Amino acid sequence: MPTGSCLCGNIAIEFTGQPTIGLCHCLDCRKITSSLWAYNIIVSNEQLKVLRGTPKEYTKTADSGKSITTCFCPNCGTTLFRYGESFGGKTGTKIIKAGILDDLNVINNGQPTKEVYTARRVTWLMPQEGAAQYKGEH
């Protein structure tokens, strides 16, 4: 099972099964990753397990107009995963930030199948080949 952790190691997670891989260009994802887009691993609530620690939660209104909750390490601030109204709430789909994964092969073998909020993608970045393109949320 793939595992991941925050920068300080206080919180660790694992997930099971075959996730959906997606890139997101929304403003929230840019801000919480301090990057120009987010590489997301999308799993069901049942597929995600927190192995160690307790993430702190911050809820806000997302670009979609619905609430979204960011789960992060209260010590080092690393964003671990998100959930929200658009994804079935607390017991629905979880969006894991791929940068926390321990095994680079999980990322290397995970070709994105979709890109969302492409209307906000930086103009010099080309669409991901083979990935469905959505101007907004999907």
Side-chain angles (χ1 to χ4, degrees):
M1 287 179 263
T3 60
S5 62
C6 61
L7 182 61
C8 71
N10 285 349
I11 300 178
I13 62 103
E14 71 179 7
F15 69 89
T16 60
Q18 290 297 323
T20 299
I21 307 298
L23 304 180
C24 184
H25 302 278
C26 78
L27 183 59
D28 281 359
C29 280
R30 290 199 325 252
K31 287 187 179 267
I32 65 170
T33 62
S34 298
S35 186
L36 297 177
W37 68 88
Y39 179 111
N40 295 319
I41 297 173
I42 305 158
V43 299
S44 70
N45 184 57
E46 294 76 26
Q47 290 176 276
L48 176 66
K49 182 178 180 183
V50 175
L51 300 173
R52 179 176 62 246
T54 303
K56 186 171 181 177
E57 296 185 355
Y58 169 72
T59 302
K60 69 175 292 283
T61 302
D63 289 351
S64 66
K66 298 177 182 176
S67 69
I68 190 158
T69 299
T70 301
C71 301
F72 62 97
C73 176
N75 185 55
C76 68
T78 302
T79 296
L80 301 154
F81 58 91
R82 301 179 94 193
Y83 64 86
E85 281 182 81
S86 294
F87 315 111
K90 191 165 190 152
T91 59
T93 301
K94 299 295 189 286
I95 295 127
I96 302 168
K97 298 303 174 185
I100 71 164
L101 296 180
D102 299 321
D103 185 355
L104 185 59
N105 287 322
V106 175
I107 298 169
N108 285 333
N109 296 326
Q111 181 74 18
T113 58
K114 66 180 180 177
E115 282 189 79
V116 296
Y117 287 99
T118 59
R120 296 179 180 196
R121 179 175 45 220
V122 294
T123 58
W124 50 262
L125 182 65
M126 297 286 98
Q128 176 66 42
E129 187 176 328
Q133 303 291 304
Y134 302 98
K135 288 185 180 183
E137 179 183 344
H138 185 266

